[in-house]
């Protein structure tokens, strides 16, 4: 993209540290590299093989320890399962340099804010919680692509302690990845995500589990078509990541699930009554809403 | 595809009549045209505008009455909502020529078999019930594509009255569309389809309805991402078609729904108990099954 143009003297992110170099972290690095917004990318993680692969793929320049990353990084991007956030931030606290900004990509935010306050104490102002609304069915560094965040929404749930400078810096970083940034309260974020992300994942997984464990699962799988494919796509996601999401956002997910079960009860009653008009009304409302959303979402 | 090769003297289907020229019927015509297996295609339907559009798109050669189609057709393909099957077959009975084969694309089969027996009486041997496991989120003749059935499964639920010649003829016709044909009992078909197609459609639609009717649906829709997109894609399907499917396969759908609700109850209990191990086990079983299916299904 930058062929023929001189590289800027100082990139937006001179040194980036990614903790957890999978789909999300790897795509963040790739997106920033792609637009010339990053100088050097350091990778931190538990699994040497994953980090080696991320190096081979050119997502990171070097695998380093958390300590070495803290010495060098201008921006930390945490893209581990949300359950690991508090441990990592606790280890970061004593070694974090004053100018470094830390953000995350966790799918829940109220728990991350609480964990960050506990872990970082007086350094909490350096942490800006975030959640890019983007994903893919595959996981790991191989699945990372520079385009993952293009046209997608990134939610930031800034803290009172964050400076305006830090917030606009992180906004600019996400915008260089092609994303649009929205700020909101962490509890609102969690309630909304319980509805549009966590409950569908639970339903898709429960359904997939039920089909897979049925005595006649072979014939079921053989006759499963494109509707099944789409409906169950999210069930292939990382069990560890999703366990943490469900535990972290338990109350909101359980509350939202009651609403869905109530709606299901009404549809089931209409079916039991063979009430074609009621069934068609509800199917039509759902179809119109989905078509309208599809035409507006920008998601192909 | 046939450039340079002479057209066969008599195509496999000299005259094809499509009743209901939407995605399914239009794609059947397009697939057969594409491989030179059809001579002339007649379209029958309630809506003149749809038939005119199908003509413009080259899916059919001419819009005709059911009577005129019965006079000419070698093969009838019924691709209307399943609720209309009995009426159409009743009208066909007195005018159906002895050599003509009739098949359908209905998503339920036991009800179609019963309706066909009632409607066709002594001519029942001419009707071979079928169900191509293929679809798309869009409907209507504009959505029709010659590739819809390529690599997909078509279930036939033949009757004792069908001749071997008729069954192998219809199998060859579907194979020219690129499909593979499986024969099975109509009740087995309906139970399996309740599981892998009808229940997911119900869950997706119920979920979409619940999100769309929530007081804060705007912010929910704004934060809905690719998981939501995939999970709700089927909810955009035709309300009329799906109302008929649910009514026709009511008992099997209700029975299957109980199984899914029982599984959901177990997952909900694990969540209530904050039982991370149980949650991860169930998520992992689902993820492995989905990934395995995805690698085998041939559906991209």
């Amino acid at each position: 993209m930058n062929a023929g143009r001189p590289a800027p003297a100082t990139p937006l992110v001179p040194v980036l540290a990614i903790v957890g170099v999978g789909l999300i972290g790897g795509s963040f690095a790739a997106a920033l590299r792609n637009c010339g917004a990053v100088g050097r990318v350091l990778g931190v993680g538990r699994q040497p093989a994953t980090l080696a692969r991320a190096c081979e793929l050119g997502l990171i320049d070097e695998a380093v320890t958390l300590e070495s990353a803290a010495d060098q990084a201008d921006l930390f991007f945490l893209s581990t399962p949300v359950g690991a956030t508090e441990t990592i931030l606790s280890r970061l606290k004593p070694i974090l340099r004053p100018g470094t900004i830390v953000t995350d990509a966790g799918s829940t935010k109220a728990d991350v804010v609480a964990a960050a306050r506990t872990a970082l104490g007086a350094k909490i102002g350096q942490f800006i919680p975030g959640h890019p609304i983007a994903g893919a069915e595959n996981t790991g560094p191989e699945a990372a692509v520079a385009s993952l965040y293009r046209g997608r929404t990134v939610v930031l749930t800034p803290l009172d302690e964050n400076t305006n400078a830090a917030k606009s810096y992180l906004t600019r970083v996400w915008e260089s990845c092609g994303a649009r940034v929205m700020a909101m309260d962490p509890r609102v974020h969690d309630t909304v995500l319980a509805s549009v992300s966590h409950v569908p994942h639970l339903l898709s997984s429960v359904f997939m589990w039920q089909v897979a464990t049925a005595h006649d699962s072979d014939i079921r799988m053989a006759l499963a078509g494109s509707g099944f494919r789409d409906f169950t796509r999210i069930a292939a996601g990382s069990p560890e990541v999703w366990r943490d999401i469900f535990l972290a956002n338990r109350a909101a997910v359980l509350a939202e699930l009651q609403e869905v079960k109530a709606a299901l009860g009404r549809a089931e009653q209409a079916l039991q009554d063979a009430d074609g008009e009621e069934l068609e009304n509800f199917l039509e409302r759902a179809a119109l809403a989905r078509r309208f959303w599809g035409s507006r979402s920008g998601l192909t």
Side-chain angles (χ1 to χ4, degrees), chain A:
Chain A
M1 299 290 280
N2 284 321
R5 278 191 278 154
T10 307
L12 187 58
V13 188
V15 180
L16 170 67
I18 306 277
V19 185
V21 192
L23 167 72
I24 298 297
S27 295
F28 186 69
L32 291 175
R33 264 198 211 284
N34 199 45
C35 65
V38 71
R40 205 168 149 64
V41 183
L42 309 175
V44 179
R46 287 173 308 174
Q47 295 168 334
T50 304
L51 291 170
R53 190 75 190 106
C55 265
E56 278 168 34
L57 293 164
L59 298 170
I60 61 173
D61 295 300
E62 197 187 345
V64 300
T65 62
L66 192 67
E67 289 67 28
S68 168
D71 258 358
Q72 305 173 63
D74 301 285
L75 178 65
F76 259 94
F77 186 76
L78 310 187
S79 43
T80 57
V82 280
T85 307
E86 186 166 348
T87 309
I88 294 163
L89 291 177
S90 298
R91 285 177 55 205
L92 261 184
K93 186 193 174 186
I95 53 177
L96 195 62
R97 290 183 306 146
T100 305
I101 303 287
V102 183
T103 189
D104 78 319
S107 299
T108 53
K109 293 273 67 78
D111 68 309
V112 164
V113 169
R117 289 198 181 279
T118 305
L120 290 176
K123 291 188 177 176
I124 188 67
Q126 291 177 248
F127 180 69
I128 308 177
H131 176 207
I133 313 286
E137 69 202 286
N138 295 317
T139 56
E142 282 84 2
V145 284
S147 60
L148 190 68
Y149 304 114
R150 205 171 292 152
R152 312 303 278 276
T153 299
V154 173
V155 176
L156 299 182
T157 63
L159 310 173
D160 292 344
E161 293 86 346
N162 298 143
T163 63
N164 285 335
K167 288 185 279 188
S168 25
Y169 174 72
L170 186 57
T171 299
R172 262 184 300 144
V173 170
W174 272 119
E175 285 173 353
S176 351
C177 300
R180 58 173 169 264
V181 174
M182 282 178 75
M184 71 177 65
D185 176 86
R187 268 165 304 268
V188 172
H189 168 276
D190 288 0
T191 305
V192 171
L193 269 288
S195 166
V196 297
S197 172
H198 311 165
V199 162
H201 195 97
L202 189 72
L203 293 174
S204 178
S205 299
V206 161
F207 171 75
M208 189 67 227
W209 182 92
Q210 186 258 337
V211 172
T213 56
H215 69 95
D216 59 346
S217 67
D218 284 358
I219 180 80
R220 295 188 192 216
M221 301 283 202
L223 295 194
S226 57
F228 179 93
R229 173 199 61 197
D230 295 337
F231 184 79
T232 59
R233 199 188 298 275
I234 46 180
S238 159
E240 189 186 8
V241 165
W242 281 94
R243 176 204 62 198
D244 281 2
I245 291 173
F246 287 128
L247 293 177
N249 205 23
R250 203 160 66 90
V253 172
L254 285 168
E256 204 53 42
L257 189 56
Q258 303 323 305
E259 301 294 323
V260 174
K261 283 167 67 181
L264 182 59
R266 289 163 62 173
E268 191 179 0
Q269 189 60 53
L271 191 52
Q272 251 154 3
D273 298 344
D275 184 343
E277 197 182 333
E278 173 79 3
L279 275 175
E280 191 175 352
N281 284 342
F282 127 77
L283 290 168
E284 186 156 34
R285 182 82 172 82
L288 291 175
R290 177 55 176 78
R291 292 173 196 168
F292 184 74
W293 179 83
S295 69
R296 293 290 186 96
S297 73
L299 292 168
T300 50

